[in-house]
Amino acid sequence: MVERVAVMICPHSGVRTDEDLLRYFEAVYARIGDVPTVLQDFPARPNITRMRAELSRPAQILTGNNCQFIVQEMERGADGPMAGFSYPEMLSGLYDLMTAGQRCAAHDLFNRYLPLLKHKAQGQRSIALRKEMMRRRGALSSNALRGPEPKLTQTDLAKLDVLIGRMDLPQG
């Protein structure tokens, strides 16, 4: 069996500009040698297209930000998502469509789930909402969170019920 090693690089909070980011990655590359890398994208930085053009070596770029901009980020050169979502079939379907060049179908799929993506992008509630949806879908047996994360209220759950009902998404 061949063991493969790779490094995921996530810049520290002090990295502010594209130039800082490129210098940061180049410094890491100098330390790790030829180890394959995966870069985690941050929406406020970096410019994916510029990174593709200016990095000294190839790297996989994965995007987060609750996948709110995944289609646009893949159009600019991201390799795929690295975000949690309670409908992973949307993420894999979107990836398949984008890599097959079916951009319009990818946008349609993304737009189908956009209300839930936006609803789940509520800061501290994001993980609680995701875990509740995963519990409802049978992927988790509990929606429990480690403290001090906020717990969903009955009002939160009722709003989620209305949203999912209006979107007509599968529950299981």
Side-chain angles (χ1 to χ4, degrees):
M1 180 170 96
V2 175
E3 185 175 315
R4 303 239 358 165
V5 175
V7 174
M8 175 173 264
I9 305 172
C10 177
H12 60 80
S13 61
V15 174
R16 300 275 184 232
T17 67
D18 285 352
E19 288 74 23
D20 290 343
L21 187 69
L22 290 167
R23 280 193 301 271
Y24 177 82
F25 287 142
E26 294 300 333
V28 172
Y29 291 162
R31 290 183 179 150
I32 66 172
D34 292 332
V35 174
T37 58
V38 175
L39 308 180
Q40 182 180 354
D41 178 30
F42 284 88
R45 54 176 142 85
N47 178 310
I48 296 169
T49 306
R50 181 175 178 193
M51 286 183 58
R52 283 273 178 236
E54 295 184 22
L55 285 173
S56 65
R57 67 186 214 192
Q60 298 291 306
I61 298 175
L62 302 179
T63 64
N65 197 33
N66 288 322
C67 280
Q68 292 185 71
F69 307 102
I70 183 62
V71 177
Q72 294 83 5
E73 290 168 331
M74 287 189 72
E75 288 175 332
R76 290 192 313 268
D79 294 295
M82 194 211 79
F85 188 52
S86 50
Y87 287 86
E89 64 270 27
M90 184 279 284
L91 297 177
S92 61
L94 194 140
Y95 173 84
D96 291 344
L97 290 167
M98 288 299 292
T99 57
Q102 298 178 17
R103 292 176 55 210
C104 289
H107 278 276
D108 290 344
L109 178 61
F110 175 79
N111 289 339
R112 166 123 169 72
Y113 289 86
L114 185 56
L116 183 59
L117 284 166
K118 289 180 71 170
H119 183 71
K120 287 178 45 185
Q122 296 185 46
Q124 292 182 328
R125 281 186 163 69
S126 178
I127 293 174
L129 289 164
R130 181 182 318 143
K131 288 186 83 169
E132 172 59 17
M133 284 303 306
M134 293 175 75
R135 184 196 63 77
R136 291 179 180 194
R137 298 194 73 207
L140 296 175
S141 61
S142 169
N143 67 357
L145 297 167
R146 290 182 295 223
E149 294 295 324
K151 295 192 179 344
L152 297 178
T153 66
Q154 289 303 315
T155 302
D156 294 328
L157 296 172
K159 288 179 182 179
L160 187 58
D161 289 338
V162 169
L163 177 66
I164 298 301
R166 289 179 51 92
M167 293 177 65
D168 194 30
L169 294 176
Q171 292 276 331

